[in-house]
Amino acid sequence: MRKISYIITLLCAAVAISSCDLTEKMQVDADKAMIFGSASGLETYSYSLYDALPGVTSAYYKESGLADYVSYRMPDDFIVDGAYTAETKTSWSWTTLRNVNYFLDGLKSVECTVDEKTKAHYEGLARWFRAYFYYDKLKTYGAVPWYDHALQNYEADQMYKDCDSRDVIIENIIADLNFAYENIETTSSVGASLVSKYAAAALKSRACLFEASFRKYHGLTGAYSADDLYAEAADAAEKVINSKLFSLNTDEGNVGAYRELFNREEPLTNEVILAVCCSSSAGIYGSQNWHFNSASYGNGNCLARSFVHTFLKKNGKPFTETAGYDLTLFKDEFTDRDERLEQIVRSPGYKKDGKNTVADITNLVAMTGYHIIKFTLDAAQYDNGNKNINSTPLIRYAEVLLNYAEAQAELGLLTDADWAKTIGALRKRAGITGGVTTCPTTVDPYMQNTFYPDVTDARIMEIRRERAIELFFEGFRFDDLRRWKAGK
């Protein structure tokens, strides 16, 4: 016993001595080797990058309190006079960027011993997330500091450097997404939960369209003209279109082809390019029902009637061209209209738990009567708490079509063929039969008087109508109004 005790004592002393001199350094080296020394290590670390995406309990209400086409109980402080100051914004955080740049730095280090193709794939993935991060910063702040590596504690000059121009930011976003498109090996993923090369092209079309129109309508100049960026947006969108990997969902399902995109646990990957996924088997649940059906948890988001009036009739004509349209009773508003209207809000025929129900205008759930159902499930069992099992699309093929149509229209290049495969295709899915094969020539006075008084091009006006309806409450409206300088 004494001998055993003596040996244990010696071992403990040896461990104590070695831990002082060696353990910390060895652990750091081991960690880097574990991450960058194999494809499996890179794959494991890359999953942490997805934390930058919206979560399952936040992806569906990014517009709450900000959009003009809904009513709500509490507006965002940003649009309340006197409520917003330089200290209010909480998004001046760079943790996500450091995580991305640490990964990119490691891919270039001596510890990274994987083959060049694998290395390029993961570099493309990381650069997608860097572009995603900087696109958000560009929208929010405009000029911000650009960092292409993880800052060290001795780089004070970099930490406190001046902001880089919008030119620098958009140029690097484009470069990152071009590299991602060329090198990400994933073309599509099971459940659309992983970033693919076409997610890179789609994001590029989104970012370039934003910056192009922001520059055009705000009169900004720089190294890139608005037309330069519109062309980049159209080219990126066309890459997705020409891949032939994606199409609009036209399967009616049990709730309609449009709403089915937001109603399923497994995303419809023919149209959904990237999604944040719920999973009943993994215990990952959203709170869509709770948010949109609760009188206290959500913000009482419901459609403004001025927006409801923009939904076309099935013959492709404006609803507002009919005399007395504004006196139409709720029970009659859905008749012979764009089918997306009754897939976005509760119509007189809406059923929950198999029972017919009308819009809930009590308890401040839907004050205007137009109660949102787009992201919810039609059963009361999901209403209280994080219980939803339906996933939320983040990038859809429909958006890519809209990006392409708008960029081409702004360049003056939109043809009837372009119209038919973009806006026309979206409207055909919604049951609209008129005006789906040729570009419009007449500006709708209701749209002009109510939303866009400065728009005189009928094609651009109808693309804006279509964008608001098709992408309703998916996080685009506030940015769209700002980039068009139409937020007043």
Side-chain angles (χ1 to χ4, degrees), residues 92 94 97 134 143-147 158-159 161-164 169:
W92 191 261
W94 301 83
L97 180 63
Y134 268 109
V144 292
W146 172 266
Y147 296 111
Q158 290 293 303
M159 294 178 192
K161 75 170 188 172
D162 291 337
C163 290
D164 289 295
I169 304 305

Side-chain angles (χ1 to χ4, degrees), residues 62 128 205 285 294 316 320 327 435 449 455:
K62 291 177 289 186
W128 187 95
S205 75
Y285 301 103
S294 170
T320 51
L327 300 177
N449 295 333
V455 175

Side-chain angles (χ1 to χ4, degrees), residues 38-39 42 107 114-123 185:
S38 67
L42 295 177
L107 289 169
V114 300
D115 63 89
E116 291 301 316
K117 186 177 181 181
T118 300
K119 188 185 298 185
H121 165 77
Y122 284 104
E123 181 180 347
E185 296 178 30

